[in-house]
Amino acid sequence: MSLEPANPLAVDPLLDDPETRIVVCCGSGGVGKTTTAAALGLRAAERGRRVVVLTIDPARRLAQSMGIDSLDNVPRQVPGIEGEGELHAMMLDMKRTFDEIVEAHADPERARAILENPFYQSLSAGFAGTQEYMAMEKLGQLRATDAWDLIVVDTPPSRSALDFLDAPKRLGSFLDGKLIRLLMAPAKVGGRAGMKFLNAGMSMMTGVLGKLLGGQLLRDVQTFVAAMDSMFGGFRTRADATFQLLQAPGTAFLVVAAPERDALREAAYFVERLGAEKMPLAGLVLNRVHSSGAAQLSAEQALAAAENLDGGGIVDQPPGKAGLVGNSAPEAATDRATSSGPGSPADQDGVLADPAAEQAEEKDADEEVPVPVEELTAGLLRLHAERMRLLAREQRTRDRFTARHPEVPVAEVPALPGDVHDLAGLRAIGTHLSEAGTGPADEA
C-alpha cells in the first residue's frame, strides 16, 4: 500500500520540454530539496539535456554522491552520466558572488576600495537576505550565459521558504532606505556650496549615529556607500530582472515537502504565495512517503492478534505445536539431568561420565534460550500496527493539502532505507519521480 495522488505530477515531460529552462526546488528545511534537485538534474541530463544544478547545501555528501571531490562557485562537470546530455554542479559561494558583482560593475580602484571596506565584508558575509539575493544573482548570471539549456536551483535552507522570493525586495528596500539615502547625500551634492549646505545637518546626524553605532563603523558605512553609489541602481535593476525571469513561462517551481503536518502547512502557504506572485507552479514533490506490502491487515487487526498471542492463544498453529520452541530447552535440560543423575547408566557401576561430554552438555545448557515464536510474531504484528498508523497519519495529512489545493499535481517518492550517497541513488529517486507521474490511464 502507498499513497497514490489523484493528480499525479508528470516529471519527465517537464524535464524534456525544451521550453523549460529553469526548475526551482523550494520548501522548508530538511525535506530533501537538495537531493531532489540533484536527482532532477541527473535525470534531465541522462535524457539528453545540458544541465547545471545550483545548490546552496554546504554538505560534502552531495558532491560525493555526484563523484566530485568538492563543489564551489564554478560549475563542475559530473562524471558517469549515462546518455548524450551533460550534468554540471556548483555550490553558491555567497561572498565570492558578491565580490564578482563588485569587480564586474566597478573600476579597479573603486572595486578594491569596496572589497577592502570592513562594512562591505560584514555585509557580503552575513547580512540578512544576502544569501537568497546572491542565489538569484547567480541564477541570473547562469541564465545570461546561455551555456546550459536547463538550470535546476536548490533554494537556500531557511526558516521560511518565502525568503527566496522576498530577498530582492528586501535588499532593494535596504538600498532605498532613508539611512542609505542620507549617507549618500554628500556624494550626490557637488561642490563646496552643496557640502556647506549639508554640513550642519550631516554633522548633527553623524554625531548621533556615531554614538549609536560607533565612530569607526559609521565611517566604514559612509565610505562603503560612497564607493557603491554608482552600483546601487544596478542591484535593483538585476533584482527586478531576475524576479521577472522567475515569473516567465520557461520557469517551473517545484515545492518539496514531507508528509508531515508542519512541512505540508509550509508547502500550502508557499503554493498560495507563488500564486499571488504569479510564479509558475509545476507541482509538489512529496518525499519519504511510507508504504506497506500487507495493507490488508489493519492496525487494529494486528494489535488484536498480538494480544491474542500474549494471552497464550494459538494463531494458525497445528495441534500440539504451540510452545514447541519455548519448551524444547527445559525438556532437554530434564533429559540431561535424568541421564546423568545417580542410578543412571553412566553411574551404575561407579564409573564417572566422560568429562568432555559433561562440558559439552554444560555449554549447551548455558546457551541462550531461543525466543518463542509467539513472542517474535507478536512483536512483528505490533511493528506492522505502528506502520499502518503512520500510513494513516500521512494519508490524512496529504488529504488535507489536496483538499485545499486540488489543482496542484503531486509526485511521491517512497522512504528509502538509507541516505543517497552516489549517482545510483540519485538515479533511483529520479525513477521514482518519473513513475509517480504515471496515472492509471498510462498504466492501462
Side-chain angles (χ1 to χ4, degrees):
M1 174 185 175
S2 63
L3 303 178
E4 297 180 359
N7 184 13
L9 170 64
V11 172
D12 282 347
L14 175 68
L15 298 179
D16 294 343
D17 187 356
E19 297 298 320
T20 303
R21 303 299 303 274
I22 299 173
V23 174
V24 182
C25 296
C26 50
S28 57
V31 295
K33 291 195 308 291
T34 301
T35 302
T36 299
L40 290 169
L42 175 61
R43 187 163 185 85
E46 296 192 332
R47 295 176 70 86
R49 303 199 68 176
R50 182 175 169 84
V51 186
V52 59
V53 176
L54 170 61
T55 181
I56 294 87
D57 184 4
R60 287 181 54 84
R61 57 182 175 80
L62 180 64
Q64 292 170 351
S65 69
M66 291 184 166
I68 302 175
D69 292 335
S70 62
L71 293 175
D72 54 22
N73 216 40
V74 178
R76 308 290 181 185
Q77 186 165 359
V78 178
I81 303 302
E82 301 173 358
E84 299 179 356
E86 291 184 11
L87 176 62
H88 297 73
M90 62 182 297
M91 185 184 73
L92 177 72
D93 184 329
M94 180 176 62
K95 188 178 187 313
R96 184 57 202 152
T97 300
F98 212 147
D99 292 348
E100 290 173 354
I101 296 171
V102 172
E103 293 167 350
H105 295 89
D107 59 76
E109 183 177 353
R110 177 170 291 190
R112 185 173 60 255
I114 294 172
L115 296 178
E116 293 176 355
N117 183 273
F119 179 73
Y120 166 78
Q121 293 173 0
S122 299
L123 174 70
S124 60
F127 183 75
T130 303
Q131 186 182 49
E132 289 81 3
Y133 177 82
M134 288 304 142
M136 297 190 72
E137 277 278 356
K138 182 57 69 175
L139 172 60
Q141 293 175 7
L142 294 172
R143 185 66 180 86
T145 62
D146 210 28
W148 294 275
D149 56 22
L150 179 63
I151 303 169
V152 181
V153 182
D154 163 38
T155 55
S158 61
R159 288 177 296 177
S160 173
L162 305 178
D163 288 349
F164 184 69
L165 295 178
D166 291 333
K169 294 180 181 179
R170 186 161 56 245
L171 186 61
S173 298
F174 167 72
L175 297 178
D176 286 330
K178 293 181 179 179
L179 175 60
I180 293 295
R181 290 202 305 268
L182 192 57
L183 293 174
M184 289 172 61
K188 290 184 176 295
V189 179
R192 293 182 179 179
M195 291 305 297
K196 288 180 179 179
F197 177 77
L198 289 175
N199 187 48
M202 287 298 295
S203 296
M204 183 180 298
M205 185 272 294
T206 54
V208 174
L209 289 177
K211 293 179 180 179
L212 293 174
L213 304 178
Q216 184 59 49
L217 175 58
L218 179 60
R219 285 190 293 272
D220 291 339
V221 173
Q222 289 177 312
T223 303
F224 165 76
V225 169
M228 290 283 287
D229 180 24
S230 63
M231 295 182 58
F232 283 158
F235 276 107
R236 286 188 292 269
T237 300
R238 287 191 303 278
D240 292 341
T242 305
F243 199 79
Q244 292 173 4
L245 182 64
L246 292 175
Q247 293 175 318
T251 300
F253 278 83
L254 287 175
V255 178
V256 184
E260 301 166 0
R261 184 180 60 181
D262 292 342
L264 277 175
R265 184 187 293 119
E266 184 88 4
Y269 185 39
F270 203 13
V271 166
E272 294 163 5
R273 174 64 186 278
L274 288 171
E277 297 287 354
K278 299 181 180 179
M279 300 287 182
L281 173 64
L284 171 74
V285 174
L286 201 58
N287 284 327
R288 303 168 192 158
V289 177
H290 293 86
S291 62
S292 173
Q296 66 276 14
L297 181 62
S298 69
E300 292 75 14
Q301 291 171 329
L303 285 176
E307 291 173 1
N308 188 21
L309 286 170
D310 288 340
I314 301 174
V315 178
D316 294 335
Q317 287 197 31
K321 296 296 183 181
L324 180 60
V325 174
N327 294 332
S328 60
E331 290 174 2
T334 302
D335 292 342
R336 286 193 297 270
T338 303
S339 63
S340 59
S344 66
D347 194 46
Q348 283 178 355
D349 298 324
V351 180
L352 295 176
D354 182 14
E358 285 186 346
Q359 291 178 0
E361 289 180 353
E362 291 175 0
K363 181 179 179 181
D364 291 340
D366 291 338
E367 288 182 354
E368 183 178 350
V369 178
V371 178
V373 65
E374 296 91 341
E375 185 176 338
L376 287 173
T377 305
L380 290 173
L381 286 168
R382 288 191 174 87
L383 286 176
H384 176 75
E386 287 298 320
R387 171 57 64 94
M388 295 306 297
R389 286 172 172 169
L390 175 62
L391 263 63
R393 189 162 58 248
E394 290 182 357
Q395 179 80 58
R396 290 192 300 269
T397 305
R398 195 207 68 185
D399 286 348
R400 281 195 292 268
F401 176 87
T402 54
R404 187 174 176 180
H405 297 286
E407 78 286 356
V408 178
V410 180
E412 296 178 356
V413 178
L416 302 178
D419 292 334
V420 176
H421 54 79
D422 54 18
L423 288 179
L426 293 175
R427 198 172 285 121
I429 291 179
T431 300
H432 287 305
L433 286 167
S434 173
E435 293 173 347
T438 304
D442 299 323
E443 294 174 354

